[in-house]
Amino acid sequence: MDSIVRRSAMPVPVDTLWAWHTRPGALERLLPPWDGARVVSRTGGIANGTRVTLSVPFGPARLGWVSEHRDVNPPHGFVDTQISGPFAHWVHHHDMRADGPAASILEDRVEFAGPAGPIGRAIARRAVASRLAPLFRYRHETLAADLAAHARVADRPRLTVGITGASGLVGTALTHFLTSGGHRVIRFVRSRPGSDHSRDTPDSVTWDPQNGFPAPDRVPALDAVVHLAGAGVADRRWTPQRMALIRDSRVQGTGTLARALAALPNPPRTLLCASAIGFYGFDGRTPVDETAPMGGGFLAAVCGKWEAAAEPARAAGLRVAHLRLGLVLTPAGGMLKPLYAVFRAGAGGVIASGTQGMSWVGLDDVVGAFHHALFDDTLRGPINVTAPEPASNAVFTAALGRAAHRPTLLPVPAAALRLLLGRQMADETALASGWITPARLEAAGYPFRHRRLDDALAHYLP
């Protein structure tokens, strides 16, 4: 029998550590973004006999993996035992113990045996060790940071937060972060043409980005709303029709939501709207903060109208903040997912001159910034959500090459990108330059998880 162990200090009492594990979203928060595993179903909370089914990648295919909770002993831990899956034996012990009145120790210990006798066990030993070591490192780092973030507002009431775009990259991560912290999330689900509130559930409400809520009286009391919905900017080549969709999905949707929230009998106190650092234009050469004016270009114009569309909510007395997101780093999506694949293939290199600024931010700091803004009533208006240390494309390329353990020898000429994407899209996305600093977040005391690029890549990549 083989085993692997990871033990870490956690910044909360053992009761709090246990409670976090029992909440919706906890398991999802612990799944590494590079791994591709996803939760398919669960039969209940953490209790003897309840089960979790995962879908896990296995080469080009996916396997179902069913585990059962056993030996549940609050608040000291539980055991997950494989019921069906790829191993002959798999038992995962989650052990928790107090480390004084305000801290605890978490130990993950997995005992396993591969299938098919000695050869299978030898293969499994190498494969599991190479996979579980970075997995547990990611899990423990993420959990400790999440617990610390929730502990900073432990004396504040838990919130009910509505989220548009809850199934997107940021929305999914934010939803799981909030629910695992004890908050309630209400997903705003787009209604189909001609539908009423038939898709409403206790944790979701239908809405129409053109017309608002089909049944406003069915909207539960909300403390805040996070507005993330909008068509992807870099998903497809910019045709006139695509550009109109990018603009209208943000401007019309935000205006509709702002008016609908303002008209509720009991509107929320806070509206946090996603925006983007594209507000500052695409040819920045010097650092700028939130005091900088709007730049030029299509995306800057979209961002300006996007933010202005929230005016009905401001006029109704809601605290409105526009979180201008930088280049979000996670191998689960966004620009890093395809880039990492290219670099792992040994085909990565500097884009154009390499001097253009890349104002990046880790996904967990995006989540953290929204969480901080939910509780900090001084934050309103524009808020840059970027790491404090932006990097040139050449520096970013070198860092990603180190993280991927590959050389970065193949430069990408600007002309090639303009031919592939079209000049306007290439200049405002892949070739854009911005040195954006998060002055207001830093002044508000937000503690960045990853200030340095190397540290972020080391966390998000195996």
Side-chain angles (χ1 to χ4, degrees):
M1 195 73 63
D2 296 300
S3 65
I4 187 168
V5 178
R6 177 87 181 199
R7 185 182 301 109
S8 298
M10 294 293 153
V12 294
V14 68
D15 288 343
T16 303
L17 176 62
W18 167 264
W20 185 93
H21 280 82
T22 67
R23 297 185 184 123
L27 176 56
E28 288 85 349
R29 283 296 293 165
L30 298 179
L31 296 177
W34 67 79
D35 189 66
R38 58 176 181 263
V39 178
V40 176
S41 65
R42 51 169 61 88
T43 60
I46 297 179
N48 287 319
T50 59
R51 294 186 175 187
V52 175
T53 301
L54 298 177
S55 172
V56 297
F58 189 77
R62 299 190 72 86
L63 296 176
W65 189 332
V66 181
S67 63
E68 184 175 274
H69 297 319
R70 298 178 180 175
D71 299 333
V72 176
N73 181 26
H76 302 296
F78 60 98
V79 174
D80 284 327
T81 300
Q82 177 189 280
I83 301 302
S84 65
F87 290 88
H89 176 84
W90 179 279
V91 177
H92 182 176
H93 300 262
H94 308 258
D95 294 326
M96 308 170 198
R97 67 174 185 270
D99 187 24
S104 53
I105 301 293
L106 172 65
E107 179 179 288
D108 279 296
R109 183 174 78 259
V110 172
E111 301 164 353
F112 63 94
I119 294 177
R121 286 196 294 271
I123 294 172
R125 184 182 303 116
R126 289 192 296 270
V128 171
S130 65
R131 185 168 179 172
L132 282 191
L135 182 148
F136 280 146
R137 183 262 308 160
Y138 174 86
R139 288 172 68 124
H140 284 223
E141 288 178 0
T142 300
L143 177 54
D146 279 12
L147 291 170
H150 293 304
R152 286 191 289 271
V153 292
D155 60 336
R156 305 280 293 275
R158 301 299 85 186
L159 304 178
T160 299
V161 181
I163 300 181
T164 74
S167 62
L169 187 69
V170 174
T172 297
L174 179 61
T175 295
H176 294 151
F177 173 85
L178 290 174
T179 56
S180 62
H183 305 284
R184 182 187 179 195
V185 168
I186 305 297
R187 296 168 175 83
F188 287 4
V189 181
R190 291 186 61 164
S191 58
R192 297 186 180 95
S195 67
D196 51 17
H197 55 255
S198 58
R199 298 177 68 196
D200 289 0
T201 71
D203 293 317
S204 68
V205 173
T206 55
W207 80 296
D208 180 345
Q210 293 185 334
N211 300 305
F213 300 114
D217 59 308
R218 293 177 62 87
V219 179
L222 300 167
D223 297 297
V225 170
V226 176
H227 180 40
L228 301 169
V233 169
D235 296 356
R236 304 176 191 174
R237 189 181 175 101
W238 285 2
T239 63
Q241 294 79 10
R242 185 65 185 177
M243 294 170 74
L245 179 62
I246 290 170
R247 179 191 63 244
D248 295 346
S249 66
R250 287 163 172 76
V251 177
Q252 292 181 3
T254 301
T256 298
L257 180 65
R259 290 189 293 273
L261 294 177
L264 290 175
N266 296 295
R269 295 181 60 251
T270 300
L271 172 61
L272 305 182
C273 292
S275 184
I277 59 172
F279 177 91
Y280 302 106
F282 58 89
D283 59 353
R285 294 174 175 81
T286 58
V288 299
D289 62 17
E290 291 89 349
T291 63
M294 186 173 73
F298 167 69
L299 291 181
V302 168
C303 289
K305 294 177 181 177
W306 188 6
E307 296 182 8
E311 181 56 34
R314 274 187 289 270
L318 279 72
R319 176 175 66 93
V320 178
H322 302 281
L323 281 73
R324 295 173 178 169
L325 307 186
L327 303 170
V328 180
L329 296 190
T330 171
M335 73 163 188
L336 188 58
K337 183 176 182 178
L339 267 185
Y340 184 58
V342 169
F343 275 63
R344 286 290 293 170
V350 171
I351 295 177
S353 68
T355 60
Q356 62 271 31
M358 298 182 67
S359 298
W360 61 274
V361 61
L363 176 60
D364 286 330
D365 275 319
V366 176
V367 169
F370 274 102
H371 179 242
H372 194 86
L374 285 171
F375 285 94
D376 189 337
D377 291 341
T378 68
L379 288 175
R380 60 182 69 230
I383 302 168
N384 293 338
V385 183
T386 59
E389 300 182 17
S392 70
N393 177 259
V395 169
F396 185 93
T397 298
L400 186 53
R402 288 192 298 272
H405 308 291
R406 295 291 189 274
T408 54
L409 304 176
L410 299 176
V412 181
L417 286 170
R418 289 175 176 138
L419 182 63
L420 177 67
L421 303 175
R423 175 175 287 274
Q424 184 174 17
M425 182 177 179
D427 286 348
E428 296 200 35
T429 58
L431 300 174
S433 178
W435 301 86
I436 316 303
T437 59
R440 297 198 63 203
L441 273 180
E442 294 225 89
Y446 173 70
F448 279 88
R449 298 192 189 193
H450 301 112
R451 302 177 68 90
R452 297 179 61 253
L453 180 59
D454 283 326
D455 294 340
L457 293 175
H459 177 70
Y460 288 111
L461 299 176

